[in-house]
Amino acid sequence: MGETLIKVEGLSKKFCRSLKKSMWYGMQDVGSELLGRRHGDDGVLRPDEFWAVKDLSFEVKRGECLGLIGHNGAGKTTLLRILNGLIRPDQGRIEMHGKVGALIALGAGFNPILTGRENIYVNAAVLGMSKQCVDDKIDEIIDFAEIREFINAPVQTYSSGMSVRLGFAVAVILIEPDILFLDEVLAVGDIGFAIKCLNTVQKMTNKSAVVFVSHSMQQISWFCTRVMLMNHGTLVMDSQNPSECIDQYYGLVKHEQQVSGTGEAEVIDVKLLVNKRIVKNIEPTIPHGAELGFRIKLAISSNRHWTAMSVNIADQTMQQIVTMPVREADGELKRFPAGLLDVELSMGKVELTSGKYSITISILDTENNEVLTRAQGLSPFRVISEEVHWGKLVRHITPHKITVQTRK
Amino acid sequence: MNETRTTIYTPDSLLLHPYKMVVEMLSDLVAGRELAWRLTVRDLSAQYRQTFLGFLWAIILPLANTLVWIFLSRSGVVNVSDTVLPYPVYVFTGTMLWAVLMDALNAPLQTVTASKSMLAKINFPREALLVAGIYKTLINALIKVVLLMIALVAMGIYPDWGILLFPIGLFSLILVGTVIGLAITPIGLLYTDVGKAIPLLMQFLMYLTPVVFAMPKEGLPATIFQLNPLTPLILTSRDWLTGLSPEYLGYFVLVNAISLVLLLLFWIVFRLAMPILIERMGS
């Protein structure tokens, strides 16, 4: 861990909700700046203003990677813009040591009429790199972007993927910052290119102080040594243990329930059973490896005779991670009769990675595949796991057999 | 590791540390040189690559304007008083020089508006945008001047030693245009009606400057024309170009001196205003 490169003390920033007032306040602020007055009205909020960032203090050292998480509008990108010198702070003090670089706004300065090669020089100039620097590394950039055959064609003929790869290549090869800002974008392009990006960014992070804003908790856990959670502009938690902070973030996220379908069936209640016992808490935390079961109360309309059920587990982005169609012992879909039903199921060991999940229940008419009801966001729960796993569903396996061939 | 620079951001006004502010302004100007040139090359290449007529567009508008005025005066629709130079020459040189002034005037607001998304996301020396605008104006002006000189010789006007001073006239037009353009940029970024009102105002102003009309000799028009600070710029440049001796040299020097001071002032305003405007103007 090296020297302190970023030092923030008591930072606050306010924004205005109304456009017209905002423009007028802008003129007022320019006026007061020209009169030598301090920016920010000494902490007073004018009509229609609100604090986007309030009273933030922290430091980042070389070699540290600080993750910034929080809901949309929590103030993360605003903080990055202030650190980058684009916006003036209203209160507080910021000290930055060394060269600042950012993987934000890739391909800035690109003009579609010009060729890829010409645009490299323009983008490099915007990033503050000299022509000599670009000349030395131009081949490296073109190779990284994987567009050698098209480098002399106008950028307007490129696919969006190609332009983005070019922008990324220029930034990642040329900038050698002491302080690096990443706003959501760690990698672009197809899977091979994305892996290349991640590796290159990882190398950059070792030599600088990094601030990384993201909504992907997996990337945060992977990259960051320290995480800060922001909520409505204030710092809620600053921890050297990323999982702790991420868990706190989930506590603040609300899960929405959504119901769709013809309405001829209804999910009345879902109770979770952990290790065969009913859990009463609103959003329980289930340890990785515990046994999870469900007690579901349903009502199915008398018009429908043979219906089937499927229970899914979804992550916080509503992506369905595990699908569990309910079957008979012989493998056929279990048919449910009409009426008021109480169903008890067990899914066995829950081997999910740390995160926040919810249940989705679908009831289908087996004769014509109509969805009678699909309720998602039910019974949210959290899973705590000590290890970080990239995949959502984890299966711990042991090899049957290992043969060691003698070394040559 | 090479020496690290420290940057400090506080809510204090930059005017409280004037020495530091001036040093930063100059270093940004120097640092932005290469970027300014790159942006100019980019914009001009893109502009002319897409057109069939290419750089000829630099003179088509003034030429068309001139032809209209010649027709209007010959046919007696508009009564234009006598000019020392043959009227077609007078109008052609006048409109070309006015076009240079307009290019310089529109450049700051246009380049900054076109770069809004870049300004909102990346920290780069903003002076580069202004310098890029000036480079672009200069190059377009050079094309106009070359064509203008060819046309003058074709019309029978031969330059005398005054032609050596003509570049001063050209630079002064660009200077004054840039000063006015720089002055309207901060407010023009927030309130877009400024950008729309300028062409109207400038068209009106052209009729109060000896561009297509000759200098009136008496009465209210004469006073207005004489007080108009743009008058000596147009007249002196035209005189140097066509081999006449300039009459308003004193006023010319005064306008330029004041413009140099105003340039510095408006540059400071620009610098102080930009971060405040960037946060409010959206991208």
Side-chain angles (χ1 to χ4, degrees), chain A residues 174-402:
Chain A
L174 289 180
I175 60 176
E176 284 166 10
D178 298 299
I179 298 176
L180 177 64
F181 296 138
L182 303 165
D183 196 340
E184 311 257 10
V185 178
L186 265 193
V188 296
D190 64 13
I191 185 70
F193 195 78
I195 293 174
K196 207 165 52 165
C197 293
L198 285 173
N199 288 335
T200 317
V201 175
Q202 180 87 69
K203 271 190 240 144
M204 284 169 88
T205 56
N206 296 337
K207 302 181 228 146
S208 27
V210 185
V211 180
F212 174 34
V213 169
S214 180
H215 286 289
S216 160
M217 296 304 132
Q218 280 172 325
Q219 286 183 338
I220 292 270
S221 316
W222 189 257
F223 261 71
C224 301
T225 56
R226 183 173 145 216
V227 178
M228 275 179 15
L229 170 62
M230 287 179 68
N231 191 33
H232 294 296
T234 52
L235 183 60
V236 173
M237 185 186 256
D238 181 349
S239 164
Q240 302 273 359
N241 178 0
S243 316
E244 189 189 17
C245 223
I246 292 172
D247 196 54
Q248 179 83 339
Y249 169 57
Y250 287 144
L252 300 168
V253 170
K254 293 177 199 14
H255 247 174
E256 295 255 320
Q257 279 197 16
Q258 255 191 326
V259 180
S260 56
T262 62
E264 281 156 281
E266 192 192 332
V267 175
I268 299 172
D269 188 49
V270 178
K271 285 208 187 358
L272 296 174
L273 297 143
V274 177
N275 293 328
K276 297 201 171 58
R277 285 202 300 269
I278 288 193
V279 175
K280 293 215 175 59
N281 321 9
I282 300 290
E283 206 174 284
T285 303
I286 300 174
H288 180 93
E291 202 186 302
L292 182 63
F294 316 100
R295 190 174 289 167
I296 307 172
K297 199 181 228 149
L298 309 161
I300 303 182
S301 155
S302 49
N303 300 355
R304 303 291 180 155
H305 299 289
W306 299 121
T307 54
M309 175 158 74
S310 176
V311 179
N312 291 2
I313 298 184
D315 69 4
Q316 79 267 26
T317 64
M318 279 308 159
Q319 195 183 0
Q320 311 293 311
I321 304 296
V322 183
T323 303
M324 300 175 286
V326 181
R327 297 189 186 274
E328 303 274 9
D330 63 5
E332 286 291 308
L333 279 176
K334 174 112 189 135
R335 287 168 156 191
F336 292 86
L340 204 61
L341 308 167
D342 252 318
V343 183
E344 197 166 307
L345 307 162
S346 171
M347 98 175 247
K349 274 205 223 172
V350 165
E351 285 174 321
L352 296 168
T353 191
S354 296
K356 183 161 164 162
Y357 301 93
S358 63
I359 308 289
T360 304
I361 297 182
S362 324
I363 301 187
L364 287 168
D365 184 332
T366 49
E367 277 159 41
N368 52 17
N369 263 336
E370 248 186 298
V371 176
L372 300 184
T373 188
R374 184 175 186 276
Q376 67 180 33
L378 302 168
S379 291
F381 62 94
R382 288 192 239 170
V383 173
I384 280 258
S385 154
E386 269 150 29
E387 298 163 333
V388 175
H389 303 288
W390 273 109
K392 293 282 180 170
L393 184 65
V394 183
R395 253 300 105 91
H396 303 279
I397 54 178
T398 45
H400 287 298
K401 187 165 90 165
I402 304 177

Side-chain angles (χ1 to χ4, degrees), chain A residues 13 22-23 29 33-34 38-39 81 84 87-88 92-94 96-98 108-109 113 118 131 178, chain B residues 1 5-15 34 38 42 49-50 119-120 122-123 190 279-280:
Chain A
K13 178 73 205 162
S22 177
M23 300 198 310
D29 287 344
E33 173 84 9
L34 292 173
R38 176 180 281 220
H39 197 69
R81 292 178 80 197
N84 213 354
I87 319 182
R88 305 281 315 278
R93 187 174 188 278
I94 300 175
M96 312 268 283
H97 298 270
I113 313 275
E118 290 168 323
K131 179 172 186 295
D178 298 299
Chain B
M1 195 83 197
R5 46 186 273 217
T6 303
T7 322
I8 299 187
Y9 299 119
T10 61
D12 288 331
S13 169
L14 298 174
L15 279 179
E34 196 176 325
R38 283 271 153 224
R42 173 194 77 172
R49 222 173 266 190
Q50 287 194 98
L119 283 165
I122 302 188
N123 197 349
L190 277 183
E279 101 183 43
R280 296 188 191 272

